[in-house]
């Protein structure tokens, strides 16, 4: 439906490719960790949480005080969170 950002096309075409993508994400069998910085606007923490909810085994972690690149803002905290997820799935 031309021109507008994806959020506008979603409403205009009844979901189309985005609805199919949402359905595909719901089929992912593995555990998924969505990471976001607390100060990041893309994805904002609320959007990161919504993304994680699309996965059957999705989890979100918001790194306080981090921006667009949380691995640069606090590398130790970021690495610890990823390592914990890889070791335990949680």
């Amino acid at each position: 439906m031309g021109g507008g950002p994806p959020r506008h096309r979603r409403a205009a075409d009844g979901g189309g490719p985005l609805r199919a993508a949402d359905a595909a994400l719901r089929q992912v069998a593995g555990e998924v960790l969505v990471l976001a910085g607390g100060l990041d606007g893309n994805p904002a923490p609320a959007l990161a949480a919504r993304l994680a909810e699309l996965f059957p085994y999705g989890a979100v972690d918001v790194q306080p005080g981090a921006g667009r690149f949380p691995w640069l803002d606090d590398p130790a905290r970021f690495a610890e969170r990823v390592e914990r997820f890889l070791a335990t799935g949680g």
Side-chain angles (χ1 to χ4, degrees), residues 2-53:
R7 68 178 183 269
H8 294 150
R9 283 196 300 258
R10 174 175 280 199
D13 71 5
L18 292 176
R19 183 169 293 159
D22 289 357
L25 294 177
R26 288 185 177 89
Q27 300 301 312
V28 173
E31 297 166 339
V32 175
L33 177 62
V34 178
L35 295 164
L39 303 176
D40 194 357
N42 190 19
L47 181 58
R50 286 179 42 208
L51 176 60
E53 290 173 0

Side-chain angles (χ1 to χ4, degrees), residues 35 61 63 66 69-84:
L35 295 164
D61 187 86
Q63 186 169 311
F69 305 108
W71 56 91
L72 295 177
D73 293 322
D74 187 347
R77 192 230 185 250
F78 183 87
E80 182 279 325
R81 183 62 183 105
V82 172
E83 289 169 0
R84 181 167 26 108

